[in-house]
Amino acid sequence: VFPPQHQPRKEDIMMETGEYFLDEKERQARKRVAKFEEMKVKSAEKRKERAKVFEPPAEASKKKAKKPAEAQESTQEMAQRLKEKAAAATS
């Protein structure tokens, strides 16, 4: 029935925060400080994101397991196998 309450003007909002009563230099200085603080926060976030690339994954180190001793062939057996393979390739 009644019309909705009007939205506050820019000047009204500035008066509530106290910014309306500052001179132009002080307003600009406050804006610069606020912008600088935002930049610091964003740069810290980006630094953390870049640092994640250099962290080793925890799962990869656990997955590597050595083969059982009987599954590994000795160096003599390996040398013999390679000699036989080379002999078969030359003939």
Side-chain angles (χ1 to χ4, degrees), residues 52-88:
K52 285 181 183 178
V53 174
F54 297 109
E55 293 177 1
E59 300 161 1
S61 61
K62 292 180 183 177
K63 288 183 180 178
K64 287 186 178 181
K66 292 186 176 181
K67 295 180 183 177
E70 57 268 4
Q72 294 179 348
E73 62 182 336
S74 69
T75 55
Q76 292 175 350
E77 292 171 349
M78 188 185 308
Q80 182 64 32
R81 184 176 51 85
L82 291 174
K83 284 179 186 176
E84 290 172 0
K85 189 175 180 181

